[in-house]
Amino acid sequence: MTLRVLYFAWVRERIGIPDEEIETTAATVRAFLGELAEREERYHRVFANPEALRVAVDQRLCDLDSPLADASEIAIFPPMTGG
Amino acid sequence: MTLRVLYFAWVRERIGIPDEEIETTAATVRAFLGELAEREERYHRVFANPEALRVAVDQRLCDLDSPLADASEIAIFPPMTGG
Amino acid sequence: MEIRITSDPIDPAAELAALSGVHKAAGAVVSFCGQVRSDESAPITTLEIEHYPGMTETAIAAIVAEAEARWDLLAGRVIHRHGQLSPGETIVFVATVAAHRHAALHAADFIMDYLKTRAPFWKKEHGPEGGHWVGSRTEDEAAARRWSDDS
Amino acid sequence: MEIRITSDPIDPAAELAALSGVHKAAGAVVSFCGQVRSDESAPITTLEIEHYPGMTETAIAAIVAEAEARWDLLAGRVIHRHGQLSPGETIVFVATVAAHRHAALHAADFIMDYLKTRAPFWKKEHGPEGGHWVGSRTEDEAAARRWSDDS
């Protein structure tokens, strides 16, 4: 499937783009982050430690072990610091 | 000693005056309220049940068993309902 | 902290404006307004607030001093009406300014609990069926006790 | 409750004025303003706030819905800035209106804890020594967990 992938805050800065489309067969969020870490070096540096990141699938916060299922959009970012 | 005695809220309304001077030898707040209850009927109705009242001696909240000592002003009122 | 006991109307927006964006180290500004309710089940035309001039100022100053001892506050304000109030009018305005949000929130909560039970004010509600003195609520006494149980 | 996500300045006094004295059954109006701090030890020139358009609205609506399920609220407002802010400016404004004061105070406290940890905003501080992303605070995570432990 094709996922729209969004990056925010320092994840966006380190990857260098705010969003992109990525083809994947990953079954879970964790598996997808593992695929990203295999790409170029700058991806590896960001995604090698997924516990430091937060993920929203189709705009809902979810765990690393959540299924990707029929997702169309995944956003990856640091812990939120609003308020 | 001579005490300036102040009444507030329904205590004031039932006694009928906001303040008066009263001569007493009472050693504690409770003893003084007992003396008041011995006066006219309207005093008796208000002071017979001192647990329902609150007392400030020289503008500080105190217990029924607090000493009157060198007090000059005593205020008697229902539980407060500010805020 | 500034303390005022007044028979003049309180303007919560103006009071908040005077505290917002003023203190450089302030990360949080909390305001609490208590206002005269008028439920359909118990309509009131006027709320009368009696107080004990002299003691009121001392009692509120003691409450504020205790809040300042418990939390790091940069500024604040406690304003309490007395006299005759109409439904919707503000009875009490409490504001707290702090570097961190929990200090500001907890201090405002504490000041309100103590004002309810330790400051010499009494409320009398006047409505179509006459006037009656508002009774103290056991919940208010319990709320005030929270702060001594965990200190 | 009204929710706004905006790059325009927030005027806390005007927001509070719109909620004060409006609801007949309201006994309490609480407001919380979070504002940009600038300590002498860590001076900042600009606070930049990034957010996730689309998800931000949904996340805040979910937080507000949970507050409304937990407490009887008559009205309220959550306004959050994004973009470039200067020291002293208001980042977030939360107001709650309720019949009783603890509902209003606790709901505001809850909404702030959840906004800090569950709404997709990120802060970057810019100062004389460059810019850096603000790290999340473990105290904020712990504060947000308070509300699930006792439910």
Side-chain angles (χ1 to χ4, degrees):
Chain A
M1 64 183 160
T2 305
L3 275 181
R4 182 162 181 251
V5 187
L6 307 180
Y7 306 119
F8 291 100
W10 57 254
V11 175
R12 172 181 54 70
E13 289 181 343
R14 293 197 206 165
I15 299 302
I17 47 173
D19 61 276
E20 60 186 316
E21 307 244 306
I22 294 178
E23 196 65 36
T24 182
T25 56
T28 66
V29 168
R30 191 187 296 275
F32 179 66
L33 297 188
E35 287 181 7
L36 288 176
E38 296 298 301
R39 294 161 73 109
E40 301 153 51
E41 177 59 21
R42 68 180 198 279
Y43 284 83
H44 183 76
R45 278 199 303 265
V46 170
F47 298 108
N49 177 19
E51 311 294 338
L53 300 170
R54 297 292 180 272
V55 176
V57 171
D58 290 337
Q59 306 193 350
R60 293 175 70 97
L61 286 175
C62 60
D63 294 332
L64 291 176
D65 297 313
S66 299
L68 273 185
D70 304 315
S72 59
E73 180 173 299
I74 181 169
I76 308 163
F77 41 77
M80 293 156 285
T81 55
Chain B
M1 63 185 160
T2 305
L3 276 181
R4 182 162 181 251
V5 187
L6 307 180
Y7 307 118
F8 290 101
W10 56 254
V11 175
R12 173 180 53 70
E13 289 182 342
R14 293 195 206 166
I15 299 302
I17 48 172
D19 61 275
E20 60 185 317
E21 307 243 305
I22 293 178
E23 195 67 36
T24 183
T25 56
T28 67
V29 169
R30 191 187 296 276
F32 180 66
L33 297 188
E35 287 182 5
L36 288 176
E38 298 298 301
R39 295 161 73 109
E40 301 153 52
E41 177 59 21
R42 68 180 197 278
Y43 284 83
H44 182 75
R45 280 200 302 265
V46 171
F47 297 109
N49 178 19
E51 311 293 338
L53 301 170
R54 298 292 180 271
V55 176
V57 170
D58 290 336
Q59 306 194 349
R60 295 174 69 97
L61 286 175
C62 62
D63 295 331
L64 291 176
D65 296 312
S66 300
L68 274 183
D70 303 317
S72 59
E73 180 174 300
I74 183 168
I76 309 164
F77 41 76
M80 293 156 283
T81 55
Chain C
M1 272 209 216
E2 192 179 318
I3 297 169
R4 295 207 309 271
I5 295 131
T6 175
S7 58
D8 295 332
I10 297 172
D11 180 347
E15 301 298 337
L16 182 60
L19 291 169
S20 292
V22 170
H23 301 271
K24 281 195 158 192
V29 179
V30 167
S31 79
F32 178 92
C33 310
Q35 52 190 37
V36 184
R37 264 186 298 170
S38 182
D39 293 321
E40 267 135 61
S41 60
I44 72 166
T45 50
T46 307
L47 181 73
E48 178 187 343
I49 302 177
E50 182 169 333
H51 80 120
Y52 180 176
M55 180 174 164
T56 313
E57 292 76 2
T58 318
I60 296 181
I63 293 167
V64 164
E66 187 154 350
E68 288 173 332
R70 285 174 181 237
W71 293 281
D72 274 330
L73 302 176
L74 297 162
R77 205 161 275 212
V78 176
I79 309 171
H80 205 298
R81 282 286 294 276
H82 65 90
Q84 310 290 319
L85 284 77
S86 300
E89 283 199 286
T90 297
I91 300 165
V92 59
F93 176 88
V94 171
T96 50
V97 180
H100 300 290
R101 74 184 184 287
H102 288 124
L105 280 161
H106 294 171
D109 194 6
F110 170 90
I111 289 170
M112 279 307 305
D113 282 346
Y114 272 46
L115 280 178
K116 288 258 172 195
T117 55
R118 296 180 194 196
F121 291 100
W122 300 273
K123 292 193 185 109
K124 188 174 189 174
E125 292 178 348
H126 296 274
E129 287 164 28
H132 77 275
W133 291 96
V134 174
S136 66
R137 297 163 70 240
T138 49
E139 303 96 281
D140 288 333
E141 299 278 352
R145 272 197 305 274
R146 287 185 299 160
W147 305 102
S148 42
D149 291 349
D150 60 6
S151 71
Chain D
M1 271 208 216
E2 192 179 319
I3 297 170
R4 293 206 311 269
I5 296 131
T6 175
S7 57
D8 295 331
I10 297 172
D11 179 346
E15 301 298 339
L16 182 59
L19 292 169
S20 293
V22 170
H23 301 272
K24 282 195 157 191
V29 179
V30 167
S31 79
F32 178 93
C33 310
Q35 51 189 39
V36 184
R37 263 186 299 170
S38 182
D39 293 322
E40 267 135 61
S41 60
I44 72 165
T45 50
T46 307
L47 181 74
E48 178 186 343
I49 302 178
E50 182 169 334
H51 79 121
Y52 181 177
M55 180 175 164
T56 313
E57 292 76 1
T58 318
I60 296 181
I63 293 167
V64 164
E66 187 154 350
E68 287 173 331
R70 286 174 181 237
W71 293 281
D72 274 330
L73 302 176
L74 297 162
R77 205 160 275 211
V78 176
I79 309 171
H80 204 299
R81 280 287 293 275
H82 66 91
Q84 311 289 320
L85 283 77
S86 301
E89 282 198 287
T90 298
I91 300 165
V92 59
F93 176 88
V94 171
T96 50
V97 180
H100 299 291
R101 75 184 185 286
H102 288 123
L105 280 161
H106 293 171
D109 194 6
F110 170 89
I111 290 170
M112 279 306 306
D113 282 347
Y114 272 46
L115 280 179
K116 288 258 172 195
T117 55
R118 295 178 196 197
F121 291 101
W122 300 274
K123 292 193 184 109
K124 188 174 190 176
E125 292 178 348
H126 297 274
E129 287 164 28
H132 77 275
W133 291 96
V134 175
S136 66
R137 297 163 70 239
T138 49
E139 302 97 281
D140 287 333
E141 298 279 353
R145 270 196 307 275
R146 285 186 300 160
W147 305 102
S148 42
D149 290 350
D150 61 4
S151 72

